[in-house]
Amino acid sequence: MTSHMRGEGVKARSLRAALMAVSNVVGNNGLRLISNLILTRLLFPEAFGLMALVQVFIYGLQMFSDLGLNASIVQSKHGDDPRFLHTAWTLQVARGLLLWIIALGLAVPAAAIYDEPQLRQLLPVVALSVVIGGFQPSRVMLASRHLKLERLTIIDLSAQLFAITLMLIAAWWWRSVWALAFGAVMTATLRTTFQALFLDGDKDRFRVDRAAAREILGFGAFIFFSTIATFAVTMGGRAILGAYIATDLLGIFSIGFMLAALPDLATTQIARRVLFPLYRIKPPIESAENQKSLFRAHRMVAGLAIAMTIILAFVGVWLVDVLYDTRYALAGPIVVLISFASVPAYAVIGSQNVLLASGDSRRYFFLQSAMAVAIIAFTYVGVTRLGVVGVLLAPALANLLIYPFRAALTARYKAWDPLGELGLMALGFAATGLAVWLHWEAIIALL
């Protein structure tokens, strides 16, 4: 296996990039889990609920202003041109500053909507992480473009370790939600600083090249609208749920979501950092050989996600009981249900990247919009009829409803793999469905 990773060929770089993506996710989430276990003993569930609400707004701001800068650099033929890179970086910095100003304006309305006065101060402070992240060097995106992630992985893990250490000290000292806010800002600060200091390449500078800006904004126009839809897909359930349940229960939901999302975090990184560039380097529409190799790569990533979520479905309740005190017991059945509901999304994970890699941001927007409408509809109906359980099941129903549309779009670029996707979906539902049946009494408690 190690012999296949040597050299600068596409296969070798892909294997190394996949290994680094997995290492990054395992390391980051291992650190997050350890810190979370300590934090739950220092803080109350309400603190995690408040931070979950803050993250809804921060993530929403980022999604509602995404210009597709990362995707532009990865897929564009000008992605290595310094003028293109400097322009993308300048737009990224300006976006971060604008988002912080918007966060200031949203703080008071957010506090009123959720009846949580602390959001007035928390939201602007945590939004500083977006400003700092805006200065992320373009060398990070170049590393993804060329599947060279070794040094970037070490930098990310080091920044995460330092930031978590500082956050735990703050939590021990303050015993309040402000420790979590401090941790968010420090993570962005250390990561951006380490990337600027230790990644090789030219330093960024403020510059706007008209041709580059036109290409970025032209490609990013549909990305902008797509990410608004992506926000609804990823955070819509939490935003709606926050208006229906108490803050402490939302905090417990966040703990369950964090554990159940481990397969998603691991395989989404691989899909974004490996499959996306591969769709550009070896388009499946160009040859049967390209299609075969990409199907094989996608099945490996999707299979890994399905395998991880099956394991979590069976051990979720036990894991929560072992790791957390009784205040967080309901997080166990939440892990089981999220694992079950995630199966359709994991079976097709990353396949939509073929659209972006082909420069087809318009159809990517159509797909994300259809998914957003479906998930919001199912979430709203679910929360009013079944509460938390309805919110947890909404993603599965939405993904199944939209699957034929997704298949039609990816088939245009010969990237639809019905045998692999439907086979993994059936396997995942059968196994996680058994886990739901075994833990039915614990799930009934959520109702």
Side-chain angles (χ1 to χ4, degrees):
M1 181 67 177
T2 55
S3 61
H4 294 301
M5 293 188 180
R6 296 171 185 164
E8 292 302 315
V10 173
K11 183 177 181 180
R13 284 186 289 139
S14 299
L15 289 172
R16 290 200 302 270
L19 177 62
M20 289 301 102
V22 171
S23 301
N24 194 352
V25 170
V26 171
N28 268 309
N29 286 287
L31 291 171
R32 284 179 66 228
L33 179 59
I34 293 170
S35 69
N36 189 262
L37 294 175
I38 299 173
L39 287 169
T40 55
R41 285 155 175 80
L42 296 173
L43 305 175
F44 292 97
E46 290 84 353
F48 297 98
L50 276 171
M51 200 59 186
L53 292 176
V54 170
Q55 291 298 342
V56 166
F57 283 93
I58 297 299
Y59 190 72
L61 287 173
Q62 291 175 318
M63 293 289 97
F64 277 60
S65 63
D66 194 346
L67 300 174
L69 301 176
N70 289 9
S72 293
I73 290 175
V74 171
Q75 68 86 36
S76 175
K77 62 182 180 181
H78 302 115
D80 294 304
D81 188 336
R83 292 174 299 176
F84 192 91
L85 293 171
H86 294 324
T87 300
W89 183 79
T90 302
L91 292 172
Q92 178 179 269
V93 172
R95 170 179 171 263
L97 293 169
L98 177 62
L99 290 182
W100 184 73
I101 294 172
I102 296 172
L104 284 177
L106 287 176
V108 173
I113 291 171
Y114 290 102
D115 194 25
E116 291 291 349
Q118 286 192 78
L119 290 178
R120 296 176 186 175
Q121 293 82 38
L122 282 169
L123 190 53
V125 171
V126 177
L128 289 172
S129 63
V130 181
V131 179
I132 297 163
F135 286 88
Q136 172 187 277
S138 61
R139 285 163 277 169
V140 174
M141 293 170 271
L142 274 180
S144 295
R145 174 178 169 84
H146 295 292
L147 298 171
K148 296 182 177 180
L149 305 178
E150 292 89 339
R151 183 174 295 188
L152 182 60
T153 299
I154 295 172
I155 289 170
D156 283 349
L157 290 175
S158 300
Q160 185 82 349
L161 177 60
F162 279 107
I164 284 175
T165 302
L166 293 173
M167 179 174 62
L168 292 176
I169 294 172
W172 173 78
W173 186 261
W174 292 335
R175 302 296 176 108
S176 80
V177 69
W178 285 103
L180 302 178
F182 172 76
V185 175
M186 287 308 302
T187 299
T189 301
L190 291 172
R191 180 179 289 122
T192 302
T193 301
F194 286 6
Q195 289 167 347
L197 290 175
F198 302 119
L199 275 180
D200 293 333
D202 296 332
K203 292 185 177 181
D204 294 295
R205 60 189 180 90
F206 292 106
R207 176 180 182 178
V208 177
D209 179 83
R210 290 186 178 182
R214 278 196 300 270
E215 179 179 342
I216 292 170
L217 296 176
F219 176 77
F222 283 104
I223 297 292
F224 170 78
F225 293 109
S226 298
T227 50
I228 294 176
T230 301
F231 169 77
V233 171
T234 55
M235 300 294 278
R238 193 178 303 185
I240 294 172
L241 189 61
Y244 280 85
I245 64 174
T247 306
D248 58 343
L249 184 55
L250 184 62
I252 295 169
F253 173 86
S254 298
I255 296 296
F257 184 86
M258 183 204 72
L259 290 173
L262 291 176
D264 178 64
L265 292 170
T267 50
T268 297
Q269 283 279 356
I270 300 174
R272 180 169 63 86
R273 295 191 171 188
V274 181
L275 290 181
F276 182 18
L278 275 178
Y279 280 126
R280 177 186 65 86
I281 296 169
K282 302 181 69 174
I285 199 170
E286 285 189 357
S287 69
E289 182 182 353
N290 282 3
Q291 185 190 56
K292 183 179 179 180
S293 62
L294 279 165
F295 279 4
R296 184 166 57 246
H298 183 268
R299 289 176 184 179
M300 290 176 64
V301 176
L304 174 63
I306 295 290
M308 291 174 68
T309 206
I310 289 172
I311 293 171
L312 276 173
F314 280 97
V315 305
V317 173
W318 170 82
L319 193 63
V320 169
D321 289 342
V322 169
L323 297 179
Y324 298 93
D325 61 54
T326 54
R327 294 174 299 169
Y328 299 92
L330 285 178
I334 287 174
V335 172
V336 177
L337 280 180
I338 292 178
S339 299
F340 174 79
S342 298
V343 167
Y346 290 156
V348 299
I349 192 165
S351 62
Q352 72 276 9
N353 285 333
V354 70
L355 303 175
L356 290 180
S358 305
D360 193 351
S361 57
R362 183 169 63 93
R363 288 189 175 85
Y364 180 83
F365 162 67
F366 293 154
L367 176 60
Q368 292 300 97
S369 297
M371 187 65 191
V373 170
I375 204 164
I376 287 176
F378 282 122
T379 298
Y380 180 75
V381 173
V383 76
T384 55
R385 300 292 180 87
L386 298 173
V388 174
V389 172
V391 173
L392 297 177
L393 294 178
L397 297 173
N399 272 291
L400 290 173
L401 179 67
I402 298 302
Y403 181 76
F405 183 47
R406 174 192 287 269
L409 292 181
T410 55
R412 293 178 61 90
Y413 298 96
K414 297 189 182 300
W416 180 40
D417 179 18
L419 181 62
E421 292 173 0
L422 295 175
L424 286 169
M425 211 177 290
L427 172 64
F429 271 136
T432 58
L434 176 60
V436 168
W437 178 71
L438 291 174
H439 295 101
W440 187 248
E441 289 187 9
I443 291 169
I444 287 296
L446 285 174
L447 294 171

